[in-house]
Every structure is written in structure tokens, then in C-alpha cells.
Amino acid sequence: MKGLTSAEVAERKAQGLVNDSEVKTSRTYTDIFLKNLLTPFNIVLFILGILLLICQEPISAVSATGIIIVNILISTVQEMRAKRRLDKISLLTRPKVKVFRDGAEAEVDQSEVVKDDVVILRAGDQAVVDGVIEECRSLEMDESLLTGESSTVRKKAGEPIYSGANCVTGEAYYTVTGFGADSYASQMLSSAKKFTSKKTPLEMETGTVTKMLMAIAAILFIITIFKSVFVTHESFSQTLQVFVLCLDVVPIALFLLITLTYMIAAVRMADSGVLLQRTNSVESISHVDVVCMDKTGTITTNKLRYENSWDLVSPVEAEHLIAVFASTTGSRNRTVDALANRYGTADAELLEEIQFSSERKYSAVRVRDGGNEYNLYLGALTSLKDHMDTDQDIATHVDAESRKGLRTVLICRGPAVPLHDADDEPVIGRMEPVSVVSIRDEVRPDCRETIQVFMDNGMQLKVISGDDPVTVDSLFTIAGIPGERKIVSGPELDAMSEAEFTKAALECNIFGRMKPENKEHVIEALKNNGHYVAMIGDGVNDVKSLKTAQVGVSLESGAGAARGVADMILVGDNFSALPKALVEGRRTVSGMRDILKLYLTRNFCLALLFVAIFVLFGNIPMIPIQNTFYAFISVSIMAFFMTLFAKPDENKELILPDVLRYCVPSSIMIAAFGLLVYGLAWYGVSHGTLVVDWAAMVETIGYSGTAEQLIASLSWNGSGEAEIVARTCMVLFVTFAGLFQIFIICPRWKIFSVDGRTNKSLVPFVITLLIIGLVMAMYLYFPKLAVEFIGFALLPGYCYAAILGFVVVLMVLELLVLRTNLFKHVIERFEEYYMRKLDEEYSEGDVREETGVKVKIPLDKFPRP
């Protein structure tokens, strides 16, 4: 086998016959910019901004589009920075392709593969291009990603290899015939239904609440048009300003905020050694309450070394037979390498073989050794014992070695009979034992501390291994891992009824002698009983369980097939990085929940104020620039920092119902108090009890006109100074009331807590003081900005004190209402409507990226609070 020469490779590259299929590690820069810029809401706001400019309302135009432009710039820059960081890490962890060039084996990036290249495929590799087999040895392929069939397919020379298939056993040399758009997988997907990325539960929830608020905004739009045309006869520019306010009832930047938060969290996880292959894994990992894992790479380092052997024939004969097996088998795994290191090689001819697979739990060779032909078998006692002829008590010895934490393999010899039947299926003959070899696997020095982090965060740990369960139990003891251990084996699970199987899956935490289908069924049983499962694996035998789990985690050194289906990869096989990622995921989603409480409280409050003041009284509750001030001070600044001080709480339930229980009563109370402040201020000005010195205001800000002209410029629709002062008082009140919600959402002291939980971080308190200082500085040092740009009046000192007093009274009453669930019936009605809409959102399902098949995601997998 020679393969192409360097000159032939260069010639094919010049002809464009190179693998042009894009390896998508993340969105492109253009895609990031356009997705952030061209949202439906952004387009509408930009149109309104242009129309306001045409109507010579530059401040309103800036307020309508300014915050969106800032959001676009910040989000785009942050996401691009995150993309650069994640792409660099992705390139480091991306599997290489082995090819034959210039008569030697070489390793190249998959984008360097050209037509007619000879690709080398070995156990654990995933085919990245199509081709035809030139030579193969005991080759079995898993094509389930392409066909959906779970059984492996034996391949022979001349048969095709399809990109996306995984090599389970054996090896092959195949010539590349197709890639990119010409590959079998690409043609299959192009004829299938076009797919979209899977939505996470939070994305579905926010989509539902956004649709609800869009419906409210649409109703307000219709009312505004009717009222402006037939009742109040506002000018075109004033109507546009009302439209801007209506549109802001919808959480415009919510999806942007979620994407940005998840991207930043992904970068933080990458820095700790966990690479997310799907950004929404940030949310998925936060729900995990059961971690399933193989012992390899987690409890142990997978560095195997020979420990001892119990020979059942003469030592010289045993050593020779083991050397023959190690020299002839094509199953080049770490166990065989450990045997070869200890016993060396022997000169024998391979006639036939069965390579190792996790389903069979054994491998076999038929060899010609000198003038003799015979079969050799290597495997676990449980796989070979029914075919052995011996009176030796091997099981007792194996059990004793397993209790020392040692892995045992049995070497057996049998007559030279065919290893495959007429249908080319593996068969196993009679045999006699040769030797029991004990192998030690090094225990990771940090595994105890790592596992303790899982336990401290309320996560169950289940070890699912192909080894003897007694060995795994002993390794737990050697590593000093605490806790009660309940053990079960794969053969025992196979003999159980469905109810017994489910009970064992839930109660046991050490599973041994497990086949791939056993692992898959255990994870399915856990999921069906309300658990959110993460699976850690590294081999091709883990692919099914990685796909079945809600979160699949692969080691960087794992098989390409395992890395291909995993949601995240442990860079450098650093198992201790995973609990940090789990905690970071919980912190991120908890932070998002708190952000949503701030965000939606403001949106609901704005909708209520709009209905009460504009619809009922004909005045706008706040002009667009004041709405921008309200959003920036009460939500935006705090939201930017909230994921930094959020507590990593468990996230087993839907997020939005809990959010709605908070923001519905809170927004009603803030709006009610806001209306009270608005009415009192209007009454005070109208009856002379609240006096604003407009002449002094003109002098303070250096206004070029008279006091009357200033009042006329600030007044909405000519309503006069009472409307200006009332609007100023109300906007300041709802702004600070919204800002102070952080003390209830993230309470440092129990006196502010609704449910007794507290957050000891000082960050919210410090940020709140800084924001208050910022507003005070504006009034003291930049009054012109407050009056002419934002449209506020400069109030007497006692007015500000009264506003803060109302905020304090609101906080006290709000805590009382939330603790006593006073708005229970209103919340239940609202939640009932919301859950009905959410059921509709879930029933639409999504389209899985791997197959293009539409599937329904059941809502009951995410229980309600």
C-alpha cells in the first residue's frame, strides 16, 4: 500500500479535489453580526428611528435605536471574542485523519484529505469522507448515525465506507471517492427535511413568554392607532414615540441576552478545561442530577501495567501462547499493549480472527505456530466460562484479584476450528484455560476530591464499566471515595424484568460487565424516572450512551466517534474540570433566572403603566428616552453582572413559572405605586402643594429660552407642567423600584428573602450604590443632560426623598405579598395560560441535527415547580 505521492496530492488540491466540507466549530463572523443586527424587532425599531429623524425628533430617534445599537455592538464583539477562543480550542481537539502518502502513514487535518487518498481507519475512528475499501481486517462498522440501525455491519474489500460511520473493530484502508456535498451523508440530508438546531427548555420558555408579550404589544398598537386617529389626534411624531414604547413591552434583547450569557459561560468553561460543542449545553449541564461514567479516565488514568499471572499450564508454555496472541491479534488496545510489554512477541501466522468488541467481551485468533494450528481466546471470565473445559476454581481467583482493584483477563486455547459460521457471524468453540493475568490501572490522584464536588452539589454518581463490578468497588475503596455502594452486573440486569431493571438502575451505583446496550438502557431508565443524566465516556462502546444521555461528555483522548457525538469534551482528559463546569452551568442558569425576574418585571410593569396612563388618561407614561433610562438603570447594568454573583442552585424545574410567580405580583405592585406617585404629583402641582421653580431651572441648565418655552418643549401633547412633573416622579420611582428588586431577588439578608435563601455576595449592593451615585451625579453635575436630553424636571429635594420613601414602602408591602401569596388567583390564571402556551411550544417539537428527523420533546421531562 503506497497511497498518493506529495506531487499527486498537490495536483489534486490545485484541481479543487480537496475535502471542502466545512468543519463547523461555531457560527461565522458574518453570521454572528447579521443574526445580532437583523432581528425583526431591530428592523422595526430602526424604521421607527428613521421616521423620527425625518420628523425632526433626534432624541427620540436615538432612544429608539441607541440601546439596540449598543446591544448589537457589545453582543457582537463579545460573541466574536468568544468564537475566536472556542475555535482555537476546537482546532486543538479536532480529530486528525490518518492517510497513506509517499509509502508511509501520515496524519493530516480532515480539510487536507484529497480525492483518491488512501485513508486508514481503525477501531474508534469515525469516517470523515466516503470511499471504497481496498484492504480490511475484521472490519465492523456502526452506521447507526446514517441508517438508524443499531447493529454493526461487517465490511469486506470492495464495499463502500460512508462518512459519519464509526469503526467498531478491525482496521481498513480505503480510497476516497466523495466528500463535502458529494458525500452520502450530505446527499441524504439534502433530501431530508431541513433541520434546525435543538431548542433548550429555557429557549422554549422565553419563546412562549415573548409570544405572550408580542400579543399584548399588538393589542396596544391597535389601541394606539385607534386613539391617535379618532380620539386624541396626536401628531405623526408623537404616534411614532408611542409605537416605540409599545414595542418595548416585548423583551426585545432577551434571546440576545441568553445567547451572550451562554457564550461567555462557554468561554469560562473552556478556560477551566471543558470545551462545549453545543452552546446550549451550558443550560443542559445545569439540570444534571445524575452523572454516569466509565471508570477509565475518571477514577483511573487508563495507564495499564502487568501485575501478576496465575498459569494453568507450564509457565514457559503460557508465556509463549500469550506472546503469540499479543503478536497476531488486530485488537490493539491498552490491555493487549500491557501483555505485549510483559511477554514480548512470537513468530506465528494469523489465519483468522475475531477482534474485540464491547458487545462480545472477548477476542480470538486462529494461528499457525510452527507446524501446529490452534485457536487462542482472550476475554473476561464471564464471557468464556461457559465454553471452558476445566476443573480449576478460576472464579475464586478472579474474585480475589478483583477485590484488590485489579483487572483480570483470561487466556484460553482451543482446537483450530473456524471462528465464523457460514453467515460470517462469530462463533466460539470449546477451550481450556491457559492463564489468568492481572493488570493494574492507576488510580487518579484527584478523583476523590473531584467526586466529592459532585456529591456536595447533590448529584448522584454511577460508574458504568465493562470491568468486573468487584474491581470497580475495590478501586473506590483504594481511592478513598466515601458513600454506600450497591453493585450489579450486566448479566444480572439482562435476567431482570422491566420493573426490576428500573429499580436496579435507580438504586445501584456500580454497574460492571456492561455491554453498550446495557449502558444505554440504564440511562434511558434514569431519564424515564425524572433524572437529568450526564454520561462520560471515551470509547466507541460509549457512543450509544453518550447520544442517549441529555449531556454527553467525552475525553479528548477518546475515540473520534465518541468525540463526534459528545456535547462537550474534557480537554487534556482533565476529569477534575467537569465538576467546575457543572457548577458554572448551574451558576449561569440561576443567573439567567434572576435576570428574567428583573427583565420581565419591568416589561409587565411598562405594559400596565401604558394601559393605565395612555389608554385611560391619554398621556404617555414616559417618552422613549425616559424608557431607555428606565431600562438601562433598572435592568441592563445589573443584568450584565448578575451571572458573576449568582448562586449555583439546582435547576430541576422549569424556570419561567418561578419567574412569573415573582414578576406578576411585583409588576402589579410597582405599577400601582407608580400610578399613585403619578397621581399625587399631578395633584400637588395642580393644587400648588408641589412647586417647581422653572425660572431657576432655566438658569441652572443654561436654557436659551423662557420657562414657558421649556415647559412647552418638555410637555407631552401640551398637557403642561403637571404632566411633566408627574411623569418625572413616576419614571424615577419605577426606575429605582426596579433597581431595588435585586435586594429581593438576590437577598443578602433573610429579612429581604421570600423563601429563606440568601446570597452573601456584596456585588449587588455595591452595583446598586454605584448606579444611585451615577443618577445623583447626573442631577448635581449635569442637570442639562437630565432636563433637555432625558426630559426630566428638576424637583424640590423633598420630592426625591418622598420617591425613595415610596420605594421603601413598596419593598415592605411587596415582601409581604410575595410571602403570603396574596395574588395567588391572578398568578394561577396567568400561569395556567402560560403553561398552555408552553405545551403548544413543546408540542411543535424540534428537528434533530444528526438525522433531520422531527421529534416531540415531552414537557413532563422538565417538571414544574
Side-chain angles (χ1 to χ4, degrees), residues 462-500:
K462 295 181 184 289
V463 179
I464 306 179
S465 174
D467 288 336
D468 191 316
V470 178
T471 301
V472 181
D473 181 44
S474 299
L475 287 171
F476 265 60
T477 302
I478 293 169
I481 299 170
E484 181 185 1
R485 298 192 281 276
K486 294 184 178 181
I487 304 172
V488 70
S489 68
E492 289 173 332
L493 290 173
D494 290 336
M496 293 180 181
S497 65
E498 184 176 346
E500 292 171 333

Side-chain angles (χ1 to χ4, degrees), residues 243-432:
F243 282 171
V244 171
L245 204 61
C246 283
L247 195 60
D248 204 52
V249 168
V250 181
I252 299 168
L254 191 53
F255 291 103
L256 197 65
L257 182 63
I258 292 173
T259 301
L260 178 60
T261 302
Y262 285 175
M263 185 63 72
I264 293 172
V267 173
R268 289 206 292 260
M269 288 185 182
D271 289 336
S272 68
V274 179
L275 172 65
L276 300 186
Q277 300 203 111
R278 295 178 178 85
T279 306
N280 60 18
S281 298
V282 174
E283 179 188 342
S284 297
I285 200 171
S286 73
H287 296 286
V288 169
D289 60 358
V290 177
V291 179
C292 298
M293 61 185 188
D294 196 345
K295 72 174 181 60
T296 304
T298 53
I299 300 174
T300 62
T301 62
N302 205 21
K303 296 177 181 177
L304 306 184
R305 60 180 176 83
Y306 168 87
E307 184 73 13
N308 61 61
S309 65
W310 177 36
D311 298 327
L312 301 167
V313 296
S314 70
V316 174
E317 184 181 9
E319 288 190 10
H320 176 72
L321 292 175
I322 296 173
V324 168
F325 184 91
S327 301
T328 55
T329 182
S331 301
R332 306 310 303 183
N333 51 46
R334 287 182 171 86
T335 299
V336 173
D337 290 342
L339 295 177
N341 290 336
R342 167 63 178 81
Y343 293 99
T345 60
D347 187 15
E349 179 187 355
L350 177 68
L351 301 177
E352 188 183 6
E353 74 171 327
I354 300 172
Q355 290 204 7
F356 178 84
S357 74
S358 297
E359 289 87 352
R360 286 188 288 268
K361 295 292 184 186
Y362 75 91
S363 55
V365 294
R366 181 161 61 90
V367 297
R368 181 179 291 117
D369 180 13
N372 300 317
E373 288 187 14
Y374 52 84
N375 291 357
L376 291 174
Y377 303 86
L378 175 73
L381 174 64
T382 53
S383 301
L384 302 179
K385 65 180 181 180
D386 293 337
H387 306 276
M388 288 195 306
D389 299 314
T390 182
D391 56 0
Q392 297 283 351
D393 188 6
I394 298 175
T396 301
H397 176 77
V398 168
D399 184 67
E401 294 296 278
S402 297
R403 293 186 186 282
K404 300 175 186 176
L406 299 175
R407 175 187 296 185
T408 57
V409 291
L410 185 62
I411 310 291
C412 296
R413 176 177 54 188
V417 296
L419 295 176
H420 296 87
D421 61 19
D423 296 325
D424 207 24
E425 291 297 320
V427 293
I428 187 168
R430 304 305 299 176
M431 64 189 76
E432 60 181 15

Side-chain angles (χ1 to χ4, degrees), residues 713-735:
S713 67
L714 296 178
S715 177
W716 168 262
N717 206 20
S719 300
E721 64 176 298
E723 187 273 331
I724 302 170
V725 174
R727 177 159 39 90
T728 299
C729 291
M730 187 200 67
V731 172
L732 288 174
F733 169 80
V734 296
T735 298

Side-chain angles (χ1 to χ4, degrees), residues 816-855:
L816 179 64
V817 167
L818 290 171
R819 287 172 178 171
T820 58
N821 204 11
L822 195 61
F823 284 76
K824 178 181 178 181
H825 296 296
V826 175
I827 296 170
E828 285 178 350
R829 290 290 182 88
F830 197 90
E831 185 178 334
E832 181 182 340
Y833 175 77
Y834 164 77
M835 294 305 297
R836 188 167 63 250
K837 292 297 180 182
L838 184 59
D839 280 328
E840 294 174 5
E841 180 79 17
Y842 271 86
S843 67
E844 291 177 4
D846 65 5
V847 183
R848 291 199 183 279
E849 192 168 1
E850 295 91 346
T851 61
V853 179
K854 188 171 182 180
V855 293

Side-chain angles (χ1 to χ4, degrees), residues 143-149 185-196 198 278 547 565 846-855:
E143 297 178 346
S144 59
L145 287 177
L146 303 173
T147 65
E149 295 294 332
S186 295
Q187 293 173 10
M188 181 183 67
L189 283 176
S190 65
S191 63
K193 182 178 176 71
K194 186 178 179 182
F195 65 83
T196 58
K198 286 192 292 182
R278 295 178 178 85
K547 289 164 58 181
V565 301
D846 65 5
V847 183
R848 291 199 183 279
E849 192 168 1
E850 295 91 346
T851 61
V853 179
K854 188 171 182 180
V855 293

